[in-house]
Amino acid sequence: MTIADAEPATADEAEALAVDGLRWLIGTGRKTGDGDGLGWPVRPSDDAIDPMLYNGTAGAVPTLLEAWRHFGDDVYADTAVRAARALEEFAGSWEDHSLYFGRTGIALALRAVHEQLGDARAGAAAERALEGVRAAFVGERWGELYELMGGNAGIGLGALLAGQDDLAVLAVEPYARTAEPTAAGVRWPFRPGVEGRMHHVSHGTLGVVYGLAAVGGATGRSDLLDLALAGAADVVARDEDGPEGFLVPHSDPPHFPDVTPRYSYGWCHGPAGDAQVFRLLRDVTGDPAWTALADRCWHTVTRSGLPRRLRPGFWDNDGRCCGTAGVLALAGDRIAERGDSPAFARTLVAALVDRAVRDADGARWSHVEHRATPSDLEPECGWAGGNAGIVRELLRHVRIVRGGDPAYAVAWPDQPVPRTQATDPIRPAGAAVDADAVS
């Protein structure tokens, strides 16, 4: 049976799959230090524990806290604390400082454990991690990458969630000095010395736009917001699927043209992620034109053919970063905010049910690399392409279709809290506010 022929998945099926996914995830964790800590490698076959938010231990923490809130089972809370113990070892020593690959993401996970479970050790470790980030700033950037995942924009978002508005501003101000004018707006290189300019959230212009808009909106810096709008204008001018849809190429000139598709549809390089930026700009500016652009993104996503694997190389990933779970995140936001039918979301969940590998150890997902033999890749543990990211979206989907709270247990830095839940459209409820910045 193909995905197109499959019956939409029920909430009970999605919840049972999430339980199996959690069992496999916890089972792949490894003891650290004196045995109190629990950390994860990227893949079970890897030798080393990885601390990163992107595909390591930090990315598992929000999922464990999601499961604890969803089921009320303290096993998940206890496992999150053990993950925090493992992350403490990296808070002051990990050499990368970014959101998805470094200390800023480690701090995010540690702060979540502190805030939700009252674990003071985790809170202190989070402060150490961010102190290291602040101390490592050299005037323009922290390292080679200069975008959301590995660079300034993501650090700004992480600092904003931590209530450190001055660090957030410090992170994004350099974009004003490095913006490249274009016919329609501005753009940025994602690292020095590259010819291609990426356009989307993970490594491109819209990721920088998100950081500038979020920080500018939260701190009253209209100059940062204006720069964000100029970056968004550059990307909007590149649309090739209007007036009903929205589709912008991966990069121009094409980056890695021999291996990178010209068009993608997920969170990282496609309209599923573009829509998240447009949602934020809607909240920051109050301009309904951004809602219309987000709707156009959804039009393109739902007519692209995903989650079917239409041809080799098309939709070979079910993960949060580049695949089905990332689209499910946007589907949930639209159900919460726009009253969309859950039908397409259930189709996405049906794909996750159909493609899961299930046995006595639990459930996991194997992505496909059509250019390799064998083409099925080893399942991963973390947020980007593994169980942590997929399970988190399954649990939220179950809650939404049952009429529950559409907000996540842990707010994600580059996904706006649904407006039905947000008390502040820029800063999620519970985040600290700098009184001097808003007085």
Side-chain angles (χ1 to χ4, degrees):
M1 179 181 292
T2 67
I3 296 299
D5 298 327
E7 290 292 327
T10 67
D12 288 348
E13 289 173 321
E15 189 173 58
L17 181 59
V19 170
D20 285 347
L22 286 162
R23 187 168 74 254
W24 185 85
L25 178 64
I26 293 173
T28 56
R30 299 177 186 173
K31 294 180 180 179
T32 64
D34 60 5
D36 288 341
L38 192 70
W40 281 266
V42 176
R43 304 168 194 83
S45 65
D46 292 345
D47 293 331
I49 288 172
D50 192 306
M52 295 190 294
L53 186 67
Y54 184 73
N55 55 6
T57 302
V61 169
T63 299
L64 293 166
L65 293 173
E66 193 77 40
W68 175 62
R69 185 178 78 162
H70 187 92
F71 295 109
D73 189 336
D74 286 343
V75 167
Y76 301 120
D78 294 342
T79 306
V81 171
R82 294 186 65 194
R85 296 293 171 266
L87 290 173
E88 288 174 14
E89 301 177 18
F90 298 96
S93 62
W94 194 246
E95 294 184 356
D96 191 289
H97 297 89
S98 66
L99 174 62
Y100 277 98
F101 310 132
R103 291 195 201 186
T104 303
I106 292 170
L108 182 149
L110 288 165
R111 286 187 68 255
V113 172
H114 175 215
E115 291 177 350
Q116 299 206 19
L117 303 178
D119 188 84
R121 277 183 60 178
E127 290 299 317
R128 290 199 304 274
L130 286 177
E131 287 170 5
V133 173
R134 185 186 296 271
F137 184 61
V138 295
E140 182 177 302
R141 63 180 74 203
W142 276 263
E144 188 179 42
L145 295 178
Y146 197 51
E147 24 76 319
L148 188 147
M149 277 196 161
N152 291 45
I155 291 172
L157 292 171
L160 196 65
L161 279 178
Q164 297 193 18
D165 291 4
D166 62 330
L167 178 58
V169 169
L170 188 73
V172 301
E173 278 184 326
Y175 288 120
R177 301 189 293 271
T178 57
E180 299 175 348
T182 67
V186 297
R187 64 182 185 179
W188 294 266
F190 76 98
R191 61 161 36 115
V194 296
E195 183 181 7
R197 298 293 184 263
M198 298 189 192
H199 306 308
H200 300 279
V201 174
S202 61
H203 300 300
T205 297
L206 285 182
V208 176
V209 166
Y210 198 112
L212 286 165
V215 175
T219 61
R221 287 286 299 270
S222 60
D223 57 326
L224 299 178
L225 179 56
D226 288 344
L227 189 60
L229 295 174
D234 174 80
V235 178
V236 170
R238 299 175 187 275
D239 168 51
E240 298 180 8
D241 198 29
E244 293 185 335
F246 189 84
L247 186 64
V248 172
H250 174 278
S251 51
D252 291 294
H255 189 66
F256 300 135
D258 295 337
V259 297
T260 303
R262 183 67 174 148
Y263 304 97
S264 299
Y265 295 89
W267 170 83
C268 52
H269 293 291
D274 301 347
Q276 300 292 5
V277 181
F278 298 150
R279 290 178 62 231
L280 177 72
L281 290 172
R282 169 207 65 193
D283 291 343
V284 176
T285 68
D287 186 346
W290 297 112
T291 298
L293 276 166
D295 288 346
R296 286 169 54 186
C297 289
W298 193 238
H299 180 278
T300 293
V301 167
T302 56
R303 287 159 178 80
S304 67
L306 70 83
R308 291 172 289 159
R309 290 173 174 165
L310 299 178
R311 56 187 179 274
F314 181 85
W315 217 251
D316 287 343
N317 189 309
D318 285 313
R320 175 59 177 82
C321 177
C322 306
T324 307
V327 180
L328 182 59
L330 179 59
D333 293 330
R334 291 188 60 86
I335 294 169
E337 292 186 336
R338 308 298 304 280
D340 277 12
S341 164
F344 191 73
R346 287 174 170 146
T347 297
L348 298 171
V349 173
L352 295 173
V353 171
D354 181 74
R355 294 170 186 162
V357 177
R358 302 173 90 164
D359 56 24
D361 294 327
R364 61 274 192 196
W365 288 263
S366 176
H367 307 314
V368 174
E369 174 47 75
H370 68 283
R371 294 163 293 194
T373 303
S375 61
D376 287 346
L377 302 177
E378 181 181 359
E380 296 187 8
C381 307
W383 173 87
N387 274 43
I390 295 171
V391 166
R392 183 170 176 265
E393 298 306 333
L394 287 171
L395 290 175
R396 185 206 189 203
H397 168 76
V398 170
R399 194 165 60 251
I400 288 174
V401 298
R402 288 176 176 168
D405 186 350
Y408 296 94
V410 179
W412 208 250
D414 47 53
Q415 184 179 355
V417 178
R419 288 174 64 171
T420 54
Q421 296 296 317
T423 56
D424 180 321
I426 312 302
R427 191 190 311 272
V433 176
D434 183 347
D436 292 336
V438 297
S439 61

